Amino acid sequence: MSAPLDPSRAVVRPTGRSAPEVEIRRSRRRRKSVQAYRDGARIVVLMPAGLTRAEEQVWVDTMVAKVEGRERRVRPDDEGLHARAVELSRRFLDGAAEPTSVRWVDNQRRRWGSCTPEDGTIRLSSRLQDLPDWVVDYVLVHELAHLLVPHHGPEFWAHVERYPRTERARGFLEGVVVGAGWKDLPEV
């Protein structure tokens, strides 16, 4: 059996994986629980200080798998995003908005999403990927409504407001902008 490790922090890689980097934070006060969360490109694992190397490795592998699984559910790929948009159109717009493609993009810094009604394409900023599903759903409904009404007039907002969390999501996005200190406010 390996001897317990006690430096309060270490950076390791999970077994059999090329990424991500994992930071272990050990605590003498923590007795049984192990937690993990993403911090940028790194996953931080909080665990008791008295675990052996073998026990730590098992926990690192387990917790990294949990964090990555949670992220896969939160961050659908483009195909999953398109399926979600079709479902939202069905539920809130009577299926009238029919996107031809929906995808994540990295080049949108001044808006959360964009739509080209002429060809039915919707693009969402990758900045949304870490936000709650109901916020992403709001942005999708907003862009889907542009497939029906290209401008932000009363008819457009009547479509968008059929999504029950519209005001809450708009407030959430405004809070993200203020909290991040962005000077160029993305359109909500």
Side-chain angles (χ1 to χ4, degrees), residues 31-94:
R31 295 287 178 227
K32 294 180 183 177
S33 67
V34 177
Q35 294 176 300
Y37 61 90
R38 168 102 36 207
D39 185 15
R42 177 180 287 185
I43 293 178
V44 177
V45 180
L46 309 171
M47 64 177 56
L51 299 178
T52 65
R53 289 187 203 289
E55 290 168 328
E56 278 193 2
Q57 191 61 60
V58 168
W59 276 113
V60 165
D61 292 344
T62 300
M63 299 310 287
V64 166
K66 280 187 177 186
V67 169
E68 289 176 337
R70 202 169 44 227
E71 289 173 345
R72 277 191 296 277
R73 286 189 299 277
V74 172
R75 299 178 187 176
D77 59 11
D78 290 350
E79 187 177 306
L81 198 60
H82 185 267
R84 184 69 184 149
V86 169
E87 173 62 16
L88 290 166
S89 175
R90 185 191 65 73
R91 286 178 57 198
F92 301 110
L93 303 171
D94 300 320

